[in-house]
Amino acid sequence: MDTEGHQEPRATRHAPVPPPRPTHAPGAGAPQQSRGQEFLAWLRAPRPVALPGVWRLNHRPRPAEEPDRIPGRQLLSGALIAFLCGWLLWSLLWNSYLGDWWLWPLLAVIPDHWFQGPADGRVAYAVSSNAYYLIVAVGIMVAVGRLGRWSEVWQRYIAPRFKRPEPRQAPPATPQEDPARWPHLRAAGAEQAADKLAAEAGAGRMRDVDLARIERAWQSVASGRHPLASFTRAVLTDGAAACLHPSGARDLAARTARHDLRTGQVRLGTAADDQRNPYAYRGTGLALGPELLGTSFLAVGPAGSGKTGSVIRPLAEALCLQALAGRAAVVVVGAAGAGLGPSENYDVVIRVGHPDSEYDFDLYGGTGDPDEAAAVLAEALVGDLADPHPGGDSRRSATVLAQLLGPYRAVHGRFPSVPELRELLDGAPGPLGDLRKALDEAGDEAMLRELDARERQLGTAGDPGSLLADRVALLDRPAFAAFFDTTGQAQPFSLRALDHPVRVRIDLPERGHADASRILARLVLAQFTASAAHREDRSLFACLILDDAARTITPEAVRGIQRLRSANAGTVLTLRTLDEVAAPLRTALLGAAGCRMALSGVTPWDGQQFAEVWGKEWIEARDVTDRQIVADEPLTKVSHFVRKVITGKAPTAQSVTVRQVERERWSASELAHSVPPGHAVLSLTTVRGEHAPPLLVDLRG
């Protein structure tokens, strides 16, 4: 910082350009002779432990704090000035302008007979004097070099031009540490299986999905759930194709994002080289995995900001790969044609309202308990109309449904279909009379009391039955006549299948049936939170991806999302704006989601919500004040006048005040107006409680 009040700009640093996205998995899509080498290079690549959200494949850790870098122009000008000063000092000494005192050490050491002695003496004098001159010159150079920071100039501008690029991967130090030799299998006594897998990998017959799937199978062996003999037999028989997914698939049809199945990560972008990002994150790849998605993920951004293409589809693709490896179960919900991946990537594709849909959806979640089915169905039908405060619920509606579902199931052995449920809720005398007659004949007094209670409430003030009937009527349309079958003629899909590594995509009929789509979205969310939290085997990560969660967030949904973290499950939700959520629930939703993303184009009102959740931080603020210098001496006045004529500015002096202030990490205005297109601000939380502050991420990298 000079005396004119001008601050040198910080040297511009460009983030490294990431490699292009691969079109195939490691070990696939390449010639046979190079598949093995490519796969082994990927397998042996370093994956150091890193901060939350950092892409670990070939990651090079950076310091946690930014070094005190001198601006480039100031560094170069200081080095040049130091060189000129050293040259001037040497010239003054050499030409004796400063006297001969600097030659006294030389004259005190050299014998007198060398000056006028024989030729050998004169040669010795010349050699010793030149050596002395060299020592003095080197001393001056070292002194001015330290003052001018020549070493930093060398390291920053010259040395990188001669430095060879370091290899991106390092081979294991010893064969016992080589992952391609499967040392953990050998240590457990499965040498034959390890030799078979090593041969498969070297021959190019193994892919990253195969590796992850076999590792998952080995975990079940190590935990004692499966015997070692059966694992070894499967590997020796099938090689890299052992322990296949029930679909028989070993990879997806195509990949649009970069995946690393050894760490379970999918790369979403690159942390921008921005002052607001911590130095350790700048220029690094940003990735998500189950350890982050297990705290649930919320993305908010307007239409066209990249929620589906840059966030939802890569995550869906990653979880489908995890499912093929036997590690996850994923349910993806979105509008038909939303671009959530091809049908070949999924085991079950439910096209609600489409006549060619191969699969149906279970309206009651696969349960046989009338109270449980009533609670989930009430949440879907009228959950958005319940009291939006955190204590609100749809308990009365669930009671009404239970009073009808229980008696109907007791008589027919199944739950009512959509038309039958609508008639019961409307209070039609025919269906209710037939139901009562059947219960009388069976002598079921408990269910008769339930039915009596429902009939007493019919037509009374505040009876939720009519509202429930109106909502059920939205599903009782000709387009849905072939769906939600309860007669046993079809086998509808139930979210109780989350105990298996299943890949499900549900296409909602947004076009023409928007209200019905919202009901179905709430139904899927309610069934998922209920099923995921009550699984017997929680080693399988379960995730629900809900593209466009508008009008699906209810008080019960927020409570369900909060319970998923301990159940090894999570949700991924997107919103165009937080206004699509009831005002009392916005803070609770942001608090329930451990990972939050604000994409480019959010409104200042949405930005204010994120700013409050992300909080504030202490920073060092510098206040610079310029004041004009008033000269009293005539000579000083003349110099100031000449300086003003040359520069056009009056001479000034600066005073700098440094203080600690508390400032928002990202203000509402910055989120609304300072996030470039294609970027987002993302904060992360792992299931272990580790945090990453809000980061500016380039989703195009």
Side-chain angles (χ1 to χ4, degrees):
M1 192 177 293
D2 58 17
T3 58
E4 292 297 321
H6 175 72
Q7 187 175 2
E8 291 286 342
R10 186 177 295 272
T12 302
R13 301 184 301 277
H14 299 283
V17 179
R21 291 178 176 177
T23 57
H24 59 272
Q32 181 67 33
Q33 60 271 19
S34 62
R35 288 180 184 176
Q37 297 178 358
E38 180 183 354
F39 177 79
L40 292 177
W42 170 82
L43 179 60
R44 291 167 174 162
R47 294 170 176 86
V49 178
L51 296 171
V54 172
W55 175 253
R56 291 174 53 191
L57 180 61
N58 291 320
H59 172 63
R60 297 179 181 178
R62 305 182 70 183
E65 296 182 0
E66 182 179 10
D68 187 13
R69 291 173 59 95
I70 301 175
R73 190 174 69 178
Q74 180 180 343
L75 179 64
L76 294 176
S77 61
L80 179 60
I81 292 174
F83 172 76
L84 295 177
C85 291
W87 189 7
L88 176 61
L89 177 60
W90 173 254
S91 179
L92 293 176
L93 293 175
W94 183 260
N95 293 290
S96 301
Y97 286 109
L98 300 180
D100 296 332
W101 56 268
W102 64 286
L103 297 174
W104 291 348
L106 175 65
L107 299 177
V109 174
I110 295 178
D112 294 338
H113 64 84
W114 282 9
F115 293 97
Q116 297 180 353
D120 294 341
R122 290 195 297 271
V123 171
Y125 169 74
V127 172
S128 59
S129 60
N130 289 332
Y132 179 75
Y133 298 151
L134 180 62
I135 292 173
V136 173
V138 170
I140 295 175
M141 182 182 300
V142 171
V144 299
R146 290 177 63 88
L147 293 175
R149 296 185 176 90
W150 290 2
S151 60
E152 188 171 349
V153 174
W154 172 268
Q155 295 175 1
R156 191 184 299 185
Y157 297 104
I158 301 176
R161 299 181 180 274
F162 299 97
K163 186 177 180 181
R164 293 182 178 181
E166 298 181 1
R168 297 287 293 179
Q169 59 188 30
T174 61
Q176 291 75 16
E177 299 176 357
D178 187 358
R181 299 188 71 251
W182 302 81
H184 52 292
L185 269 68
R186 299 179 187 277
E191 292 86 358
Q192 293 181 344
D195 292 337
K196 178 67 173 180
L197 294 176
E200 292 281 288
R205 292 188 291 270
M206 182 175 288
R207 307 177 183 180
D208 57 348
V209 178
D210 300 329
L211 174 78
R213 187 185 62 254
I214 294 174
E215 288 283 4
R216 167 68 178 179
W218 175 252
Q219 290 176 3
S220 65
V221 173
S223 63
R225 291 196 299 267
H226 294 88
L228 176 61
S230 61
F231 172 81
T232 303
R233 189 183 313 109
V235 171
L236 294 179
T237 303
D238 301 324
C243 310
L244 275 179
H245 184 266
S247 66
R250 297 174 60 184
D251 201 355
L252 301 181
R255 301 191 185 190
T256 60
R258 297 186 63 197
H259 303 272
D260 182 23
L261 288 179
R262 285 206 69 189
T263 59
Q265 291 182 314
V266 53
R267 180 164 177 161
L268 294 187
T270 304
D273 192 359
D274 188 89
Q275 293 294 327
R276 288 166 291 197
N277 285 347
Y279 182 73
Y281 278 96
R282 296 178 194 170
T284 63
L286 256 293
L288 296 181
E291 74 283 353
L292 292 169
L293 297 179
T295 62
S296 294
F297 181 93
L298 174 66
V300 180
S305 58
K307 298 189 299 298
T308 301
S310 300
V311 178
I312 295 299
R313 180 159 183 176
L315 291 179
E317 190 175 278
L319 290 170
C320 286
L321 289 171
Q322 294 282 344
L324 290 180
R327 295 177 175 178
V330 58
V331 180
V332 183
V333 183
L340 301 177
S343 301
E344 294 78 9
N345 287 2
Y346 298 92
D347 304 314
V348 177
V349 179
I350 304 173
R351 299 183 175 94
V352 181
H354 197 284
D356 296 333
S357 179
E358 184 178 354
Y359 293 93
D360 194 2
F361 186 72
D362 193 336
L363 198 65
Y364 301 99
T367 182
D369 185 0
D371 293 322
E372 181 181 350
V376 174
L377 189 57
E379 172 69 15
L381 294 176
V382 296
D384 58 326
L385 302 179
D387 185 0
H389 291 83
D393 55 30
S394 52
R395 191 173 305 169
R396 291 187 59 198
S397 300
T399 302
V400 170
L401 287 172
Q403 291 170 347
L404 295 174
L405 297 182
Y408 192 94
R409 181 174 178 81
V411 172
H412 299 281
R414 60 177 178 86
F415 289 124
S417 62
V418 172
E420 293 168 341
L421 180 60
R422 180 182 179 184
E423 291 179 350
L424 293 173
L425 289 171
D426 282 331
L432 289 178
D434 295 340
L435 194 58
R436 173 176 291 279
K437 181 179 179 181
L439 292 173
D440 284 334
E441 294 175 354
D444 196 338
E445 297 295 335
M447 291 304 169
L448 279 172
R449 288 194 299 269
E450 289 283 284
L451 193 58
D452 290 339
R454 172 84 284 267
E455 291 179 342
R456 285 194 301 267
Q457 295 176 6
L458 282 174
T460 60
D463 178 27
S466 59
L467 178 59
L468 289 170
D470 292 340
R471 287 299 179 90
V472 172
L474 296 173
L475 301 179
D476 188 18
R477 305 298 304 158
F480 308 135
F483 286 85
F484 318 122
D485 179 71
T486 61
T487 62
Q489 298 179 0
Q491 187 66 29
F493 174 78
S494 169
L495 289 184
R496 289 183 174 270
L498 294 178
D499 287 327
H500 308 282
V502 64
R503 303 170 294 166
V504 183
R505 193 187 77 190
I506 302 177
D507 294 342
L508 300 178
E510 287 281 355
R511 184 176 179 180
H513 300 279
D515 292 334
S517 296
R518 295 303 98 196
I519 293 176
L520 294 174
R522 288 194 297 270
L523 179 63
V524 173
L525 179 57
Q527 290 186 4
F528 177 83
T529 54
S531 300
H534 297 89
R535 292 179 299 162
E536 295 182 1
D537 182 11
R538 296 187 177 183
S539 63
L540 200 69
F541 178 71
C543 187
L544 170 66
I545 298 179
L546 185 53
D547 189 23
D548 189 8
R551 296 172 57 190
T552 63
I553 305 302
T554 65
E556 184 60 33
V558 173
R559 288 191 290 268
I561 293 173
Q562 292 171 340
R563 292 191 296 264
L564 292 178
R565 184 179 301 192
S566 61
N568 193 24
T571 59
V572 178
L573 309 175
T574 66
L575 293 168
R576 285 184 289 269
T577 173
L578 288 174
D579 291 339
E580 295 175 335
V581 180
L585 293 177
R586 295 170 192 169
T587 303
L589 176 61
L590 289 171
C595 302
R596 313 172 189 97
M597 173 183 284
L599 288 96
S600 173
V602 296
T603 64
W605 297 273
D606 289 345
Q608 183 62 38
Q609 297 281 343
F610 280 98
E612 292 178 359
V613 171
W614 285 331
K616 300 180 180 181
E617 62 179 344
W618 289 97
I619 64 169
E620 187 180 84
R622 291 175 174 265
D623 297 332
V624 181
T625 305
D626 292 335
R627 60 179 181 84
Q628 185 175 352
I629 302 176
V630 179
D632 296 330
E633 300 296 331
L635 183 59
T636 307
K637 289 183 177 180
V638 172
S639 64
H640 286 184
F641 175 77
V642 174
R643 188 173 180 180
K644 184 175 181 179
V645 170
I646 295 175
T647 63
K649 298 180 180 179
T652 59
Q654 288 184 344
S655 62
V656 181
T657 303
V658 181
R659 55 193 177 93
Q660 294 287 330
V661 298
E662 194 176 20
R663 190 194 68 178
E664 291 179 327
R665 299 179 184 271
W666 280 84
S667 67
S669 178
E670 289 175 331
L671 290 172
H673 306 294
S674 299
V675 180
H679 290 64
V681 181
L682 171 66
S683 66
L684 302 170
T685 304
T686 68
V687 293
R688 295 183 299 272
E690 300 173 327
H691 296 271
L695 306 170
L696 180 62
V697 181
D698 185 0
L699 299 177
R700 301 167 300 183

